[in-house]
Amino acid sequence: MAAVRLVHLKTALHRHGGTPSIPPPWTIFRLPNKTFRLFSTSVSPPSKAVVYEEHGQPDAVYKLRELPPVPIKDDDVCVRMLASPINPSDINRIEGVYPVRPAVPAVGGYEGVGEVHSVGSAVKGLFPGDWVIPSPPSSGTWQTYVVKGQNVWHRIDKSTPMEYAATITVNPLTALRMLEDFVDLKPGDAVVQNGATSIVGQCIIQLARVRGIHSINIIRDRAGSDEVKEKLKKLGADQVFTESQLEVKNLKSLLADTPEPALGFNCVGGNAASSVLKFLKNGGTMVTYGGMSKKPITVSTSSFIFKDLSLRGFWLQKWMTSDKAKECRDMIDYLLSLTRSGELKYDMELCPFDEFPTALDKALGKLGSQPKQVIKF
């Protein structure tokens, strides 16, 4: 077991005339002309975790387990998790259908925010009480204590609302990268997207608005669609259409004063993807980042020949594995600053860890349409 430097508090205090009152186990304390950094024991506390030992339906294969303490190496940081979301990709990892997934048995979760509990003796720049997120994201965040190397953790501003800190590294970062990586957009340009009510969709609307870019948004037909339209327009959407409204021959006539978009985003597939393509101007690009309908994308021959449209794909995990840790963290800090200023917001629901089964049912769609579920530890 790697050694962790310890200070015997009582001895140190007596040595310098202090009073031997015992602070929390991670305390940094100062005496005249001396500063002591008090490390925890060389193992983490026991951890409660959501574990799956085989792939399958999440509600059938997960178990709530207590895990034993984990050794803390010299360059490790022990983090007490504060919150972590249930993302669709988390569900896919448990099902065993996601392209990259941890070997089973595994702890669920891929992003989140926590508070530094204790550090190894070689750790610099992180201290107990700091708020950190794994960046790039890292598997195993659905547990009360996580021990990983210092290079995994990125310190963030503690004034950030906890639920936004927990969810910033997957959906908002996807929205930002897709707006910046495919077409050189200028203020006054436009984008079009389906799945506009998703977290990525809400972020695209707001990030586009910050840049002076118009957004055309497609939502599915459902009860309360008028209220959904108004909500998206309050976020900054210029145009919002239901899929049935697009059953006309000339979609461009619906745009009014909004310019034809050069860039489109598809997370649905099927007819919803075709609608995005119809809005795009000549030479436009559609980026696919999801396939919620599980239907293929069908492209007319004329879209390729006469409109010269391009079809691209985006997968955040692939982008983040390209030695972009510094760039990724800078963008996360930028996105978090927007959440603190109120320029970036999206629907979430905090759920106590003890109520994880209910949160999972909501994430699986068993209880109808629900906001993003964020587990609070």
Side-chain angles (χ1 to χ4, degrees):
M1 183 180 297
V4 176
R5 178 163 51 88
L6 300 174
V7 175
H8 193 292
L9 180 60
K10 187 174 180 180
T11 301
L13 284 165
H14 277 309
R15 209 177 273 165
H16 294 272
T19 303
S21 59
I22 303 299
W26 45 260
T27 293
I28 297 169
F29 64 95
R30 292 175 176 82
L31 296 171
N33 303 317
K34 291 285 184 179
T35 298
F36 293 94
R37 188 176 184 183
L38 179 64
F39 295 92
S40 74
T41 59
S42 57
V43 295
S44 71
S47 186
K48 294 180 180 178
V50 177
V51 178
Y52 56 101
E53 297 178 347
E54 59 182 333
H55 294 121
Q57 280 299 112
D59 52 350
V61 300
Y62 89 88
K63 295 180 176 63
L64 291 172
R65 292 273 180 83
E66 181 161 310
L67 303 181
V70 176
I72 301 173
K73 301 174 186 175
D74 290 349
D75 61 351
D76 278 347
V77 177
C78 175
V79 173
R80 180 178 68 84
M81 294 303 296
L82 300 173
S84 179
I86 303 178
N87 289 320
S89 55
D90 296 322
I91 303 297
N92 293 155
R93 285 186 180 88
I94 298 174
E95 291 171 334
V97 299
Y98 202 72
V100 177
R101 54 190 182 270
V104 292
V107 175
Y110 188 60
E111 65 172 332
V113 62
E115 182 179 79
V116 174
H117 175 268
S118 54
V119 299
S121 59
V123 172
K124 300 182 184 301
L126 288 178
F127 300 92
D130 287 344
W131 276 23
V132 292
I133 60 175
S135 175
S138 181
S139 294
T141 56
W142 290 354
Q143 57 182 316
T144 50
Y145 289 90
V146 176
V147 175
K148 292 181 184 287
Q150 178 179 3
N151 64 332
V152 170
W153 303 105
H154 174 51
R155 183 172 57 190
I156 65 167
D157 190 324
K158 292 179 70 171
S159 67
T160 305
M162 178 173 48
E163 61 270 30
Y164 286 103
T167 57
I168 205 71
T169 54
V170 174
N171 293 152
L173 191 54
T174 293
L176 180 61
R177 290 303 348 134
M178 292 196 301
L179 280 168
E180 296 191 349
D181 284 357
F182 296 94
V183 174
D184 184 16
L185 297 170
K186 301 289 194 302
D189 288 343
V191 297
V192 58
Q193 66 170 336
N194 57 37
T197 58
S198 68
I199 300 292
V200 172
Q202 294 176 58
C203 291
I204 284 172
I205 290 170
Q206 295 167 90
L207 293 173
R209 180 202 61 210
V210 168
R211 288 161 170 70
I213 296 167
H214 303 281
S215 66
I216 302 153
N217 302 274
I218 304 168
I219 62 174
R220 59 188 175 88
D221 291 273
R222 62 179 179 180
S225 58
D226 287 340
E227 289 82 356
V228 173
K229 288 182 181 181
E230 287 305 310
K231 181 177 179 179
L232 294 180
K233 287 182 179 179
K234 286 180 180 178
L235 292 179
D238 293 272
Q239 303 267 16
V240 186
F241 303 106
T242 60
E243 291 177 353
S244 62
Q245 285 183 283
L246 304 182
E247 295 172 357
V248 296
K249 288 187 177 180
N250 183 11
L251 291 184
K252 304 289 176 64
S253 65
L254 301 174
L255 293 181
D257 296 329
T258 306
E260 289 182 274
L263 179 61
F265 305 111
N266 164 53
C267 68
V268 180
N271 292 333
S274 300
S275 296
V276 170
L277 290 169
K278 290 176 183 177
F279 272 114
L280 290 175
K281 70 179 185 180
N282 288 350
T285 298
M286 183 176 79
V287 179
T288 292
Y289 66 98
M292 292 189 295
S293 72
K294 299 183 179 179
K295 295 180 180 179
I297 299 168
T298 303
V299 186
S300 66
T301 301
S302 62
S303 294
F304 282 128
I305 296 177
F306 303 115
K307 293 185 69 177
D308 191 26
L309 298 183
S310 298
L311 303 184
R312 300 287 302 276
F314 180 79
W315 183 29
L316 181 67
Q317 186 159 338
K318 181 179 179 181
W319 182 87
M320 288 190 300
T321 57
S322 304
D323 194 27
K324 293 182 180 288
K326 174 65 166 61
E327 185 180 355
C328 179
R329 293 179 178 190
D330 289 344
M331 287 183 292
I332 285 171
D333 289 340
Y334 164 69
L335 291 167
L336 289 176
S337 73
L338 294 180
T339 68
R340 292 192 295 273
S341 68
E343 295 174 274
L344 182 63
K345 49 192 171 184
Y346 39 88
D347 293 335
M348 292 174 285
E349 181 179 38
L350 283 168
C351 179
F353 188 33
D354 291 344
E355 298 176 18
F356 178 82
T358 300
L360 182 60
D361 283 347
K362 289 181 178 180
L364 292 172
K366 291 184 176 183
L367 303 177
S369 179
Q370 299 286 336
K372 169 81 70 179
Q373 296 297 298
V374 181
I375 305 164
K376 182 179 178 181
F377 296 94

